[in-house]
Amino acid sequence: MSELSGGGRESGVPAGWEAVIGLEVHVELATASKMFCPCPTRFGAPPNGQVCPVCLGLPGVLPVPNRQAVELAVKAALALNCRVATYSKFDRKNYFYPDMPKNYQISQYDLPLAGDGYLEIPAAEGSRKIRIRRLHLEEDTGKSMHAADDIVTARYSLVDFNRAGIPLAEIVSEPDLSTPEEARLYLEKLKAIMQYCGVSDCRMEEGSLRCDINVSVRRPGERAGTRTEVKNVNSFRAVERALAYEIWRQVQLLEAGGEVEQETRHWDEGAGRTRTLRTKEYAHDYRYFPDPDLPPLVLDPTWIEEVRRSLPELPDARRERYVRELGLPPYDAAVITASRGLAEFFEEAVSAYPQPKAVSNWVMGEVRRYLNEHGLEPEDIPVRPGHLAELLRMVERGTINTRVAKQVFGVMCETGRPAAEIVREKGLEQVSDEAFIDRAVEEAVAGNPAVVADYRKGKEKALGFLVGQVMKATRGKANPQMVNRLLRDRLGPPGPA
Amino acid sequence: MRRGELRARDLVESCLGRTASLDGVLGCFLTLDGDRALERAALIDEELARARRQSAGVGETGAHPSAPAARPDPSAGGHGILAGIPYACKDNMCTRGVTTTCGSRILEGYVPPYDATVVEQLTGTGAILLGKTNMDEFAMGSSGENSAFFPTRNPHDTTRVPGGSSSGSAAAVAAGLVPFALGSDTGGSVRQPASFCGVVGFKPTYGRVSRYGLVAFASSLDQIGPLTLTVADCALVMEVMAGHDPRDATSAQVPVPQYTAVLGRDVRGLRLGVPREYMGEGIEPGVREAVRAALGALADLGCAVEECSLPHTDYALAVYYLVAPAEASSNLARYDGVRYGLRVEGGDITAMYSRTRRRGFGPEVRRRIMLGTYALSAGYYDAYYLKAQKVRTLVRRDFEQAFARYDLLVAPTSPTVAFRLGERTDDPLSMYMADVCTIPVNLAGIPAISIPCGQSEGLPVGLQIMGPPFAEGLILQAAWAFEQATGGAPWRQEVTP
């Protein structure tokens, strides 16, 4: 988590301008069944493989609210410091769309489930509160697939209704964000909180966390300008890029004497730009009204308190605990607690190998590197925390050196097998046999007179090359400390003898 | 039938025979399912015969008299209280494998993959579905002339309308084509045709009977109700259909009394209110006279009959024509040509939507969709829909206050007797007046029955008895007492063609 920069190019906001940003985030709730029917919510089922008359909106069907969805949404709301309404209601949002079975979406309009909350994002001065305006429940729509690149040229389109009726919590922030980076930090924090409370798995690539951006720009001290909305921006990187682009576009327009039009835009990831989706003339009149098929949602305050008590430790609390109890540097604590999966992996590994900083180094280094390289979520770390602990113990005992450990870790990731097994099988145990290593040192010195001469001229770096040669000769198994010592013994201190 | 004196097959055959000879003129049925009805009848006959053999056998072997009866076969329902009884169902209730059109071109040929809860319940108790009855398109209408296919005629006078929108169901029962039928009542659509056709029609408390599988017209007003020849039959069918349905969130969790058991109870001392707003201007003199006579009969039974007032009655019609179209505009949005039913191709998706809906919906449905869309539009919502909901509360409060003083309210069901086909088709407002006495009941969500109470111009007049929520038993008790007391009345002997 990098420090916030103070405006200018690197913040994504041109000098002399301010951006006003609000995010609407759709979080797919981790329920077993859909919002209003018993259909399963598994990802990746064959098209239209989890549908029933209710989620298909067939004539005559009626919605019945999912208890678990309500509970998860209340959890989310409480974790975001929201006030949960004891009386809310479901409304119909009417518009025609080919992948929407009823041509209205059941959502919540004027009386949402919760509101008035906030979350904290890291900031230069420690942290900054971003207010949450509202959190409400709604159902997802289906998905169209066009028999061509786009809807215009397609000869026909197919619709998959597996997503139709999936429960969503829509979380709307106040326009408290002012840079693309802040928007990303907000989203990261939101994701972490949702994952911590088990509200959602927040897999962006599966669409279980989606983001709409509202943004306008202004000169400092002036009123906010006309805003645009960028729909369905589906990765942290895309949110940052789309925002930076949109802010730049608006500033360009205004500086050239033009005007920003209020419109809905689409982020084109490939082209790296936003495009007009629909302008104000096409702004929808959704004709919201209370859904007559659903009685108001009346929640018992004691039940809400029970849910509050069931909330797990949230990222901020956990970060502070890591610093306080485990002595982790704040930076490490922040990185690790940013994801529930990472934090849980870390904690389990620490309980098996109680050296927090050593574990943290590995989690922040190798583990994250592997996840990034393979595009995996922290929940998908293929190595068991106990296995990492074992690996670290082997390093500590000197059974293997760090270099080999990294190699072994790679194999562990590929195979899921424990470290000891891999080390044994590949014969990677560290060698601390002095005579054996000294022989390799002697060969390295004899074989590289030029390097030795450099070292003697005072080039400390030359020693590193010789260490490398020895390690190569011993297939990485030599005890590095011993290699260093023996080399220095043989060469003496750097500089003219 | 249980004693083996009558076979279900004979009953079904006789109904089908009578239908074959009369329905060409009457136009009660949109779909006849004769073959399947006969098959089911044969199954039930077999099961009943097996049960008789078994109980005879039990007697011979001297088994304990309380030994459980043979396990009922749920597929046949031979042990249910309606075993072998044929019935007809308004074409807006979903029947698995049997066409369900709602009297509309837009659903022509649509075959639902599931049964409405009421159909399930009736099947479970052994009733046999004979077919689907004609209706005003999407239950919008008061004469049966709005069916997209053909009008239904009144069995008492085939130049007259049967009333609507459960036209086919009322006429089929009146003409003796089926012993009972199901209708749906949004603004009087069971009671008004029952009144016009001289049969019993019941609109239960909102939430008393599941709406699951009833194709929605106006969700907050719709309720399924039976049309029968006698009050006792009505009580029997109600007993089967009433009760909580977990698939309907508006379904009430109120225990169901045994309606057939309350029928014989004394009605002496019952306090009956007669709202003066229902007896004044606009009520045909002949209708008023018949209702006056009925009130006399009830007084003779020992009821205390007294004039009372429901002051907001005048606003009910206006409220209804805002609320019902508003809900309908949203409920009917799903008929767009994308997933099922009629599709009229157009250049793009919007053209396809509008062409399909223009061709698929009749003028009355289009009129109400436009009315409802307007009432919900931004800028008009507060003035129309919201205001209507507030007045609706006043109408409901009228009833609450009346029921604080009176056990039941009594009034005409319709201001007129059946009018002539075509007489009001060009004048929607005069057509809307046909439901003026029944609409307030739907707005308040209370139960009400219509029973034949005399004649005017040689045509049936209906008496409406209204009760507080869940007072179905009391209404049936009063209706039964009245029916018994007037059993010898000349208009009772009148037999339809």
Side-chain angles (χ1 to χ4, degrees), chain A residues 93-97 100 102-105 141 284-287, chain B residues 333:
Chain A
K93 184 179 182 181
N94 292 282
Y95 61 103
F96 282 80
Y97 210 68
M100 193 161 62
K102 303 182 288 291
N103 282 328
Y104 61 79
Q105 184 183 19
T141 64
H284 265 104
D285 174 4
Y286 292 117
R287 304 192 315 281

Side-chain angles (χ1 to χ4, degrees), chain A residues 53-54 57-65 92 94 96-98 100-104 161 285 287-290 292-293 295, chain B residues 94 110 113-114 211-214 219 246-250 330-331 333-336 339-340 353 373 376-378 381 385:
Chain A
V54 175
L58 292 186
V61 297
L62 295 170
V64 177
R92 290 186 185 175
N94 292 282
F96 282 80
Y97 210 68
M100 193 161 62
K102 303 182 288 291
N103 282 328
Y104 61 79
F161 288 106
D285 174 4
R287 304 192 315 281
Y288 279 103
F289 77 109
D293 288 329
Chain B
C94 289
Y110 173 69
Y114 75 102
R211 289 187 297 119
Y212 187 79
L214 169 68
S219 310
R247 287 176 296 194
D248 176 355
T250 62
S330 170
N331 283 332
R334 72 192 65 192
Y335 308 105
D336 59 7
R339 295 163 300 273
Y340 44 77
Y353 283 157
T373 303
L376 289 177
S377 299
Y381 179 89
Y385 181 81

Side-chain angles (χ1 to χ4, degrees), chain A residues 59-78:
Chain A
V61 297
L62 295 170
V64 177
N66 180 341
R67 245 196 112 71
Q68 199 194 2
V70 174
E71 182 173 341
L72 290 177
V74 167
K75 249 187 190 171
L78 294 172

Side-chain angles (χ1 to χ4, degrees), chain B residues 338-360:
Chain B
V338 172
R339 295 163 300 273
Y340 44 77
L342 179 75
R343 174 184 295 180
V344 183
E345 296 294 347
D348 57 24
I349 183 115
T350 313
M352 191 270 275
Y353 283 157
S354 58
R355 285 184 197 181
T356 298
R357 289 166 69 79
R358 186 179 302 273
R359 177 104 40 98

Side-chain angles (χ1 to χ4, degrees), chain A residues 211-280:
Chain A
C211 184
D212 299 343
I213 301 167
N214 284 303
V215 57
S216 65
V217 297
R218 65 177 175 202
R219 300 272 190 192
E222 284 179 4
R223 282 183 44 198
T226 309
R227 70 190 165 90
T228 59
E229 184 182 17
V230 188
K231 283 274 184 197
N232 280 326
V233 192
N234 288 337
S235 74
F236 292 139
R237 199 174 108 84
V239 166
E240 247 183 313
R241 288 180 69 206
L243 260 172
Y245 176 85
E246 190 57 20
I247 291 167
W248 171 83
R249 187 188 70 89
Q250 291 187 10
V251 166
Q252 293 282 303
L253 256 173
L254 294 173
E255 284 187 342
E259 265 180 43
V260 175
E261 221 184 317
Q262 185 178 332
E263 59 183 0
T264 301
R265 299 178 69 86
H266 163 77
W267 169 246
D268 185 336
E269 182 76 47
R273 53 176 300 230
T274 62
R275 273 190 232 281
T276 300
L277 208 61
R278 54 175 182 263
T279 49
K280 201 180 178 184

